[in-house]
Amino acid sequence: MSAVIDASTRLIGILGYPVRHSLSPLIHNTALRSQGLNAVYIGLPVPPDRLGDAMAGIRALGFLGANVTIPHKEAVLPLLDSLSGRAQAVGAVNTIVARQGALHGDNTDVSGFLAPLQEHGSWLRGSDMVVLGAGGAARAAVYGLCAAFAPRLLTIAARRAAPAERLASGMAALGNVGTVLLPDAAPQMTSARLIVNATPAGMHPGAGETPWAERTVFRKGQLVYDLVYRPHETRLMREAAAQGARVLGGLPMLLGQAAAAYRQWTGKDMSKAAVEQALEQVLKKDYLGASN
Protein backbone atom coordinates (compact mmCIF):
# COMPACT_ATOMS: atom_id res chain seq x y z
CA MET A 1 0.00 0.00 0.00
CA SER A 2 1.33 3.43 -0.83
CA ALA A 3 1.84 5.95 1.98
CA VAL A 4 -1.30 7.84 0.90
CA ILE A 5 -4.65 6.32 -0.04
CA ASP A 6 -5.84 8.15 -3.14
CA ALA A 7 -8.34 7.88 -5.98
CA SER A 8 -6.38 5.09 -7.65
CA THR A 9 -6.09 2.87 -4.56
CA ARG A 10 -7.40 -0.65 -5.24
CA LEU A 11 -9.47 -2.63 -2.75
CA ILE A 12 -9.17 -6.17 -1.40
CA GLY A 13 -11.22 -7.50 1.51
CA ILE A 14 -12.26 -10.46 3.61
CA LEU A 15 -15.90 -11.55 3.53
CA GLY A 16 -17.09 -13.27 6.70
CA TYR A 17 -19.33 -12.95 9.73
CA PRO A 18 -17.82 -11.97 12.06
CA VAL A 19 -14.41 -10.75 10.84
CA ARG A 20 -13.26 -8.59 13.75
CA HIS A 21 -10.93 -11.35 14.97
CA SER A 22 -9.26 -11.78 11.57
CA LEU A 23 -5.51 -11.20 11.19
CA SER A 24 -5.81 -11.10 7.40
CA PRO A 25 -6.01 -7.27 7.20
CA LEU A 26 -2.81 -7.00 9.23
CA ILE A 27 -1.06 -9.63 7.09
CA HIS A 28 -1.98 -8.21 3.72
CA ASN A 29 -1.69 -4.51 4.54
CA THR A 30 1.77 -5.13 6.00
CA ALA A 31 2.78 -6.95 2.81
CA LEU A 32 1.28 -4.27 0.55
CA ARG A 33 3.04 -1.47 2.44
CA SER A 34 6.36 -3.30 2.42
CA GLN A 35 6.24 -3.45 -1.38
CA GLY A 36 4.79 0.02 -1.97
CA LEU A 37 1.65 -1.25 -3.69
CA ASN A 38 -1.31 1.11 -3.95
CA ALA A 39 -3.97 -1.18 -2.50
CA VAL A 40 -5.69 -1.63 0.84
CA TYR A 41 -7.19 -4.74 2.47
CA ILE A 42 -10.30 -4.31 4.61
CA GLY A 43 -12.63 -6.39 6.75
CA LEU A 44 -16.11 -6.89 5.31
CA PRO A 45 -18.57 -8.24 7.89
CA VAL A 46 -21.37 -9.76 5.81
CA PRO A 47 -24.37 -11.54 7.38
CA PRO A 48 -25.36 -14.70 5.49
CA ASP A 49 -28.51 -13.13 4.05
CA ARG A 50 -26.48 -10.27 2.52
CA LEU A 51 -23.79 -12.31 0.75
CA GLY A 52 -25.35 -11.76 -2.68
CA ASP A 53 -25.39 -7.98 -2.10
CA ALA A 54 -21.77 -8.07 -0.94
CA MET A 55 -20.66 -9.93 -4.07
CA ALA A 56 -22.46 -7.39 -6.24
CA GLY A 57 -20.50 -4.71 -4.37
CA ILE A 58 -17.21 -6.52 -4.99
CA ARG A 59 -18.00 -6.44 -8.71
CA ALA A 60 -19.30 -2.87 -8.83
CA LEU A 61 -16.42 -1.36 -6.85
CA GLY A 62 -13.68 -2.99 -8.90
CA PHE A 63 -12.02 -4.96 -6.13
CA LEU A 64 -8.78 -6.76 -6.98
CA GLY A 65 -10.26 -9.71 -5.12
CA ALA A 66 -11.18 -10.97 -1.69
CA ASN A 67 -10.77 -13.69 0.87
CA VAL A 68 -13.78 -15.66 2.08
CA THR A 69 -14.12 -17.06 5.57
CA ILE A 70 -16.77 -18.54 7.89
CA PRO A 71 -19.69 -18.89 7.09
CA HIS A 72 -19.45 -18.12 3.37
CA LYS A 73 -16.87 -20.52 1.89
CA GLU A 74 -19.47 -22.84 0.41
CA ALA A 75 -22.34 -20.40 -0.11
CA VAL A 76 -20.23 -18.15 -2.34
CA LEU A 77 -19.67 -20.78 -5.05
CA PRO A 78 -22.77 -20.10 -7.20
CA LEU A 79 -22.07 -16.36 -7.07
CA LEU A 80 -18.76 -16.69 -8.94
CA ASP A 81 -18.05 -16.78 -12.69
CA SER A 82 -15.45 -19.57 -12.58
CA LEU A 83 -13.72 -21.93 -10.17
CA SER A 84 -10.27 -23.49 -10.03
CA GLY A 85 -10.02 -27.27 -10.15
CA ARG A 86 -9.16 -27.51 -6.48
CA ALA A 87 -12.02 -25.20 -5.46
CA GLN A 88 -14.39 -27.44 -7.39
CA ALA A 89 -12.92 -30.57 -5.80
CA VAL A 90 -13.04 -29.14 -2.28
CA GLY A 91 -16.46 -27.54 -2.73
CA ALA A 92 -15.36 -24.36 -0.97
CA VAL A 93 -13.67 -21.07 -1.88
CA ASN A 94 -11.41 -18.93 0.30
CA THR A 95 -9.93 -16.68 -2.39
CA ILE A 96 -11.63 -14.60 -5.09
CA VAL A 97 -9.61 -13.02 -7.90
CA ALA A 98 -10.99 -10.41 -10.32
CA ARG A 99 -10.06 -11.29 -13.91
CA GLN A 100 -11.14 -8.97 -16.71
CA GLY A 101 -14.41 -8.11 -15.03
CA ALA A 102 -15.18 -11.67 -13.91
CA LEU A 103 -14.73 -13.21 -10.45
CA HIS A 104 -12.71 -16.41 -10.20
CA GLY A 105 -12.82 -18.61 -7.09
CA ASP A 106 -9.88 -20.59 -5.76
CA ASN A 107 -9.01 -22.51 -2.60
CA THR A 108 -5.55 -21.71 -1.25
CA ASP A 109 -6.48 -23.29 2.09
CA VAL A 110 -5.41 -26.69 0.75
CA SER A 111 -1.77 -25.79 0.09
CA GLY A 112 -1.62 -23.69 3.26
CA PHE A 113 -3.04 -26.56 5.32
CA LEU A 114 -0.65 -29.16 3.92
CA ALA A 115 2.55 -27.10 4.12
CA PRO A 116 3.40 -27.75 7.83
CA LEU A 117 2.48 -31.45 7.49
CA GLN A 118 4.97 -32.26 4.74
CA GLU A 119 7.78 -33.04 7.19
CA HIS A 120 5.52 -35.70 8.75
CA GLY A 121 4.51 -37.20 5.40
CA SER A 122 5.94 -40.72 5.67
CA TRP A 123 4.73 -41.03 9.27
CA LEU A 124 1.19 -39.93 8.41
CA ARG A 125 0.75 -41.90 5.21
CA GLY A 126 -1.80 -44.69 5.51
CA SER A 127 -2.74 -43.89 9.13
CA ASP A 128 -6.07 -43.19 10.82
CA MET A 129 -7.06 -39.52 11.00
CA VAL A 130 -9.90 -37.44 12.45
CA VAL A 131 -11.11 -34.04 11.26
CA LEU A 132 -13.35 -32.11 13.65
CA GLY A 133 -15.91 -30.05 11.76
CA ALA A 134 -17.62 -30.21 8.37
CA GLY A 135 -17.46 -26.62 7.09
CA GLY A 136 -15.21 -24.95 4.52
CA ALA A 137 -11.97 -25.42 6.45
CA ALA A 138 -12.81 -29.07 7.07
CA ARG A 139 -13.45 -29.55 3.35
CA ALA A 140 -9.94 -28.28 2.55
CA ALA A 141 -8.44 -30.48 5.27
CA VAL A 142 -10.23 -33.67 4.19
CA TYR A 143 -9.39 -33.11 0.53
CA GLY A 144 -5.75 -32.32 1.29
CA LEU A 145 -5.25 -35.27 3.63
CA CYS A 146 -6.83 -37.77 1.24
CA ALA A 147 -4.86 -36.47 -1.73
CA ALA A 148 -1.51 -36.21 0.05
CA PHE A 149 -1.45 -39.03 2.61
CA ALA A 150 -4.03 -41.67 1.61
CA PRO A 151 -5.27 -42.31 5.18
CA ARG A 152 -6.39 -45.81 6.11
CA LEU A 153 -9.54 -44.22 7.52
CA LEU A 154 -10.38 -40.53 7.77
CA THR A 155 -13.28 -39.80 10.12
CA ILE A 156 -15.22 -36.54 9.99
CA ALA A 157 -16.59 -35.73 13.45
CA ALA A 158 -19.23 -32.99 13.45
CA ARG A 159 -22.08 -31.78 15.65
CA ARG A 160 -24.62 -32.41 12.89
CA ALA A 161 -24.78 -35.57 10.82
CA ALA A 162 -26.01 -34.12 7.52
CA PRO A 163 -23.07 -31.79 6.72
CA ALA A 164 -20.56 -34.49 7.69
CA GLU A 165 -22.28 -37.06 5.50
CA ARG A 166 -22.39 -34.65 2.55
CA LEU A 167 -18.69 -33.97 2.93
CA ALA A 168 -17.83 -37.66 3.24
CA SER A 169 -19.92 -38.48 0.17
CA GLY A 170 -18.20 -35.76 -1.84
CA MET A 171 -14.74 -37.07 -0.91
CA ALA A 172 -15.53 -40.79 -1.19
CA ALA A 173 -13.70 -41.12 -4.49
CA LEU A 174 -10.48 -39.96 -2.83
CA GLY A 175 -10.34 -42.56 -0.06
CA ASN A 176 -11.98 -44.23 2.91
CA VAL A 177 -13.92 -41.42 4.58
CA GLY A 178 -16.40 -42.02 7.41
CA THR A 179 -18.45 -39.90 9.79
CA VAL A 180 -19.38 -39.80 13.45
CA LEU A 181 -21.25 -37.34 15.62
CA LEU A 182 -18.75 -35.25 17.56
CA PRO A 183 -19.88 -36.35 21.06
CA ASP A 184 -19.34 -40.00 20.04
CA ALA A 185 -15.89 -39.57 18.48
CA ALA A 186 -13.70 -40.74 21.40
CA PRO A 187 -12.82 -44.18 19.92
CA GLN A 188 -11.79 -42.69 16.57
CA MET A 189 -9.79 -39.90 18.22
CA THR A 190 -7.99 -42.31 20.54
CA SER A 191 -6.78 -44.44 17.63
CA ALA A 192 -6.00 -41.55 15.26
CA ARG A 193 -2.44 -40.58 14.48
CA LEU A 194 -3.58 -37.11 13.36
CA ILE A 195 -6.43 -35.02 14.80
CA VAL A 196 -7.34 -31.78 13.03
CA ASN A 197 -9.59 -29.13 14.56
CA ALA A 198 -11.32 -27.43 11.63
CA THR A 199 -13.96 -25.75 13.79
CA PRO A 200 -13.74 -22.17 15.15
CA ALA A 201 -13.94 -23.43 18.76
CA GLY A 202 -11.18 -21.76 20.76
CA MET A 203 -10.80 -18.78 18.44
CA HIS A 204 -10.18 -15.37 20.07
CA PRO A 205 -12.09 -13.99 21.95
CA GLY A 206 -13.44 -17.41 22.98
CA ALA A 207 -9.98 -18.70 23.87
CA GLY A 208 -11.27 -20.79 26.79
CA GLU A 209 -13.40 -22.95 24.50
CA THR A 210 -12.41 -26.27 22.96
CA PRO A 211 -14.05 -28.61 20.44
CA TRP A 212 -13.11 -31.59 22.64
CA ALA A 213 -12.96 -31.46 26.45
CA GLU A 214 -12.06 -35.11 27.21
CA ARG A 215 -8.29 -34.87 27.26
CA THR A 216 -7.84 -38.62 27.86
CA VAL A 217 -8.15 -39.28 24.10
CA PHE A 218 -4.81 -37.57 23.52
CA ARG A 219 -1.56 -39.52 23.79
CA LYS A 220 2.05 -39.83 22.73
CA GLY A 221 2.34 -40.77 19.10
CA GLN A 222 -0.34 -38.31 17.99
CA LEU A 223 -0.19 -35.00 16.17
CA VAL A 224 -2.96 -32.54 17.06
CA TYR A 225 -3.29 -29.77 14.46
CA ASP A 226 -5.57 -26.87 15.46
CA LEU A 227 -6.43 -24.61 12.53
CA VAL A 228 -7.34 -21.82 14.96
CA TYR A 229 -4.53 -19.26 14.72
CA ARG A 230 -5.58 -16.75 17.35
CA PRO A 231 -4.58 -17.34 20.09
CA HIS A 232 -1.26 -18.82 19.02
CA GLU A 233 -1.72 -21.66 21.54
CA THR A 234 -5.29 -22.87 22.08
CA ARG A 235 -6.78 -24.78 24.96
CA LEU A 236 -6.99 -27.86 22.70
CA MET A 237 -3.26 -27.62 22.01
CA ARG A 238 -2.35 -27.19 25.67
CA GLU A 239 -4.44 -30.14 26.80
CA ALA A 240 -3.17 -32.41 24.02
CA ALA A 241 0.45 -31.47 24.76
CA ALA A 242 -0.09 -32.20 28.46
CA GLN A 243 -0.98 -35.78 27.46
CA GLY A 244 2.18 -36.16 25.39
CA ALA A 245 0.86 -35.37 21.91
CA ARG A 246 2.74 -33.15 19.48
CA VAL A 247 0.78 -30.02 18.61
CA LEU A 248 0.64 -27.62 15.70
CA GLY A 249 -1.25 -24.32 15.53
CA GLY A 250 -3.00 -22.66 12.62
CA LEU A 251 -0.60 -19.77 11.96
CA PRO A 252 1.49 -21.59 9.30
CA MET A 253 -1.70 -22.43 7.40
CA LEU A 254 -2.90 -18.83 7.69
CA LEU A 255 0.37 -17.52 6.27
CA GLY A 256 0.54 -20.15 3.55
CA GLN A 257 -2.93 -19.53 2.20
CA ALA A 258 -2.43 -15.76 2.49
CA ALA A 259 0.81 -15.83 0.50
CA ALA A 260 -0.82 -17.88 -2.27
CA ALA A 261 -3.78 -15.48 -2.50
CA TYR A 262 -1.52 -12.39 -2.40
CA ARG A 263 0.45 -13.73 -5.34
CA GLN A 264 -2.73 -14.06 -7.39
CA TRP A 265 -3.91 -10.53 -6.59
CA THR A 266 -0.59 -8.71 -7.00
CA GLY A 267 1.68 -10.95 -9.07
CA LYS A 268 4.29 -10.64 -6.32
CA ASP A 269 5.60 -12.90 -3.57
CA MET A 270 4.59 -11.80 -0.09
CA SER A 271 7.31 -10.41 2.17
CA LYS A 272 6.98 -13.00 4.92
CA ALA A 273 9.64 -11.45 7.15
CA ALA A 274 7.70 -8.18 7.44
CA VAL A 275 4.42 -10.03 8.00
CA GLU A 276 5.84 -12.34 10.66
CA GLN A 277 7.27 -9.37 12.56
CA ALA A 278 3.88 -7.61 12.56
CA LEU A 279 2.08 -10.79 13.65
CA GLU A 280 4.54 -11.36 16.47
CA GLN A 281 3.60 -8.01 18.01
CA VAL A 282 -0.15 -8.70 17.87
CA LEU A 283 0.10 -12.24 19.19
CA LYS A 284 2.36 -11.06 22.00
CA LYS A 285 -0.35 -8.57 23.04
CA ASP A 286 -2.94 -11.38 22.96
CA TYR A 287 -0.74 -13.47 25.24
CA LEU A 288 -0.10 -10.63 27.68
CA GLY A 289 -3.82 -9.81 27.77
CA ALA A 290 -4.71 -13.42 28.49
CA SER A 291 -2.12 -13.56 31.27
CA ASN A 292 -3.49 -10.55 33.15
Side-chain angles (χ1 to χ4, degrees), residues 4 57 59-60 255:
V4 177
R59 293 177 185 277
L255 290 173

Short mmCIF file of all heavy atoms in Angstrom, two decimals, residues 4 57 59-60 255:
data_model
loop_
_atom_site.label_atom_id
_atom_site.label_comp_id
_atom_site.label_asym_id
_atom_site.label_seq_id
_atom_site.Cartn_x
_atom_site.Cartn_y
_atom_site.Cartn_z
N VAL A 4 -0.06 7.07 0.92
CA VAL A 4 -1.30 7.84 0.90
C VAL A 4 -2.36 7.07 0.11
O VAL A 4 -2.11 6.63 -1.01
CB VAL A 4 -1.08 9.23 0.27
CG1 VAL A 4 -2.39 9.99 0.19
CG2 VAL A 4 -0.04 10.01 1.06
N GLY A 57 -21.37 -5.84 -4.70
CA GLY A 57 -20.50 -4.71 -4.37
C GLY A 57 -19.06 -4.95 -4.77
O GLY A 57 -18.37 -4.03 -5.27
N ARG A 59 -18.04 -6.66 -7.26
CA ARG A 59 -18.00 -6.44 -8.71
C ARG A 59 -18.06 -4.95 -9.04
O ARG A 59 -17.26 -4.43 -9.81
CB ARG A 59 -19.17 -7.15 -9.39
CG ARG A 59 -19.13 -8.66 -9.33
CD ARG A 59 -20.39 -9.24 -9.98
NE ARG A 59 -20.45 -10.69 -9.86
CZ ARG A 59 -19.84 -11.55 -10.66
NH1 ARG A 59 -19.11 -11.08 -11.66
NH2 ARG A 59 -19.96 -12.84 -10.48
N ALA A 60 -19.04 -4.26 -8.45
CA ALA A 60 -19.30 -2.87 -8.83
C ALA A 60 -18.15 -1.94 -8.45
O ALA A 60 -17.88 -0.97 -9.14
CB ALA A 60 -20.60 -2.39 -8.17
N LEU A 255 -0.63 -18.20 7.08
CA LEU A 255 0.37 -17.52 6.27
C LEU A 255 0.50 -18.15 4.90
O LEU A 255 0.67 -17.45 3.90
CB LEU A 255 1.72 -17.56 7.00
CG LEU A 255 1.82 -16.68 8.24
CD1 LEU A 255 3.13 -16.93 8.98
CD2 LEU A 255 1.70 -15.20 7.88
#
